[in-house]
Amino acid sequence: METAAAVGGSEEAALAGPGAGAAEPLIPREAAGEGQRVEESAAAAPSFPDPENGGDCADGLWELPVEHASRRPECGRCSRPQKVCLCPFLPVHPLDISTNLYIIQHPAEENKVLRTVPLLAACLPQDKVKVKIGRRFSEERDPELSAICRNPGTLVLYPGAEAINLEELISNSPNHLSTIIIIDGTWSQAKDIFYKNSLFRLPRQVQLKTSVSSQYVIRTQPTNKCLSTLECAAVALAILEKNDHIQKTLLRPLQALCSFQLQHGAQIRLSKEHLLKNGLYPKPMPKNKRKLRKMELLMNSVKI
């Protein structure tokens, strides 16, 4: 019945002509309710300022001053953050040594948090230790290093088939050995530096014959007998200076560093050799034949 009345009303409006009290169009009640809700929500929605009409916009946030992150204050001697300074474990006075130590450091090692070279340098006289950062060295770029490498009293510490055990060389060499060069980096980085710089093949090549396992337990080593840069320097200087106290003194800050890290969440890192032999290596074996061969040599305790 409502429909008939509505239709009749529309016909009367059509006959009366435009503007003569036209009836409202028929709208279902559900649609009318939805339309009303849409209008209400549109009216309640927040209005954002229009930048074209002089209003502010989010782009203005970029004009606010930026607070740059600052590094924690570092100790001037051990280069550690002041809150975890390791100076109490360093010698009160630098060790008295006659050997000059040159550290050839890969650039990737320079900014690592748990590096050992700053601790090593803090234990020695400034005029006895020098750190050179880079991957490529030549006579033209570094004449000082070139002269050091050509000196018959210079040694380079790098293991290999042509290397002589340092202890044997000391006992048989009549010449005074004044300088030792140590490469600081991962094993692949050290290999790249040694073989791609002809300067480092001029001095006599030596290696350490030791059964001591690394105490740098917070970083993974390839084998159980691989040592950190600080440990290599500690053993080498003790042999060259014929003073075992040097090794103990240099290892003390490294032991303190590892102990602190382990107390604050770090975990002991076992060598790749140990993980492979005991079936604990967490990564899939490499598909590259050369890398797979290296893994097999580690499992069989063959020196790479």
Side-chain angles (χ1 to χ4, degrees):
M1 300 299 292
E2 290 182 8
T3 305
V7 173
S10 61
E11 290 177 352
E12 292 175 358
L15 293 172
E24 294 182 1
L26 178 63
I27 301 176
R29 294 178 181 176
E30 294 80 359
E34 292 177 359
Q36 185 177 1
R37 286 194 296 270
V38 171
E39 292 178 358
E40 291 176 354
S41 62
S47 59
F48 295 96
D50 185 2
E52 294 183 358
N53 295 328
D56 296 331
C57 65
D59 292 341
L61 295 175
W62 298 107
E63 300 177 0
L64 296 176
V66 178
E67 296 183 2
H68 296 283
S70 58
R71 294 175 61 92
R72 291 181 292 176
E74 290 185 351
C75 171
R77 186 181 181 194
C78 68
S79 300
R80 293 279 296 164
Q82 291 179 357
K83 290 185 178 180
V84 289
C85 173
L86 294 176
C87 286
F89 303 94
L90 301 178
V92 177
H93 302 289
L95 294 173
D96 183 16
I97 59 173
S98 60
T99 306
N100 295 302
L101 177 64
Y102 273 75
I103 303 293
I104 307 300
Q105 187 176 74
H106 191 279
E109 290 289 319
E110 184 180 4
N111 294 320
K112 286 188 176 179
V113 178
L114 300 177
R115 59 195 188 277
T116 63
V117 168
L119 297 178
L120 171 63
C123 297
L124 303 175
Q126 292 184 359
D127 62 336
K128 291 297 182 181
V129 58
K130 191 159 189 177
V131 180
K132 288 186 171 290
I133 302 170
R135 287 179 291 184
R136 299 293 178 265
F137 300 88
S138 63
E139 295 187 16
E140 295 77 16
R141 293 181 180 179
D142 201 323
E144 176 197 356
L145 183 61
S146 174
I148 292 295
C149 290
R150 293 182 181 280
N151 190 319
T154 299
L155 306 174
V156 59
L157 183 63
Y158 189 84
E162 299 179 357
I164 307 171
N165 291 333
L166 182 58
E167 287 184 327
E168 297 177 5
L169 179 64
I170 292 297
S171 60
N172 299 326
S173 177
N175 298 329
H176 173 64
L177 304 174
S178 59
T179 305
I180 186 166
I181 299 172
I182 300 178
I183 303 175
D184 178 45
T186 64
W187 283 98
S188 59
Q189 291 167 353
K191 182 179 180 180
D192 177 76
I193 290 176
F194 181 76
Y195 284 106
K196 291 188 178 180
N197 291 278
S198 57
L199 281 180
F200 300 134
R201 292 194 294 281
L202 295 177
R204 279 177 289 182
Q205 183 181 346
V206 296
Q207 61 187 5
L208 301 175
K209 184 181 180 181
T210 176
S211 58
V212 178
S213 297
S214 175
Q215 298 184 42
Y216 195 25
V217 295
I218 55 177
R219 286 186 70 174
T220 303
Q221 304 287 359
T223 70
N224 296 329
K225 295 182 180 180
C226 289
L227 303 178
S228 66
T229 303
L230 183 147
E231 291 172 307
C232 288
V235 175
L237 289 175
I239 295 173
L240 290 168
E241 300 288 328
K242 299 179 181 180
N243 185 351
D244 292 338
H245 174 70
I246 292 176
Q247 181 176 347
K248 296 178 181 178
T249 304
L250 291 178
L251 291 180
R252 193 176 298 124
L254 177 65
Q255 294 164 349
L257 170 64
C258 294
S259 176
F260 177 84
Q261 294 299 127
L262 292 173
Q263 291 174 15
H264 291 79
Q267 296 181 348
I268 294 178
R269 304 281 184 172
L270 301 173
S271 68
K272 288 184 180 179
E273 177 187 8
H274 177 88
L275 295 175
L276 288 168
K277 284 184 176 181
N278 293 275
L280 301 174
Y281 193 67
K283 299 179 181 179
M285 295 298 284
K287 296 181 180 179
N288 182 284
K289 292 183 178 180
R290 182 176 59 85
K291 293 183 178 180
L292 184 61
R293 177 58 179 165
K294 283 187 176 182
M295 292 291 191
E296 293 174 349
L297 292 175
L298 285 176
M299 294 176 68
N300 297 320
S301 300
V302 178
K303 184 182 292 186
I304 300 177

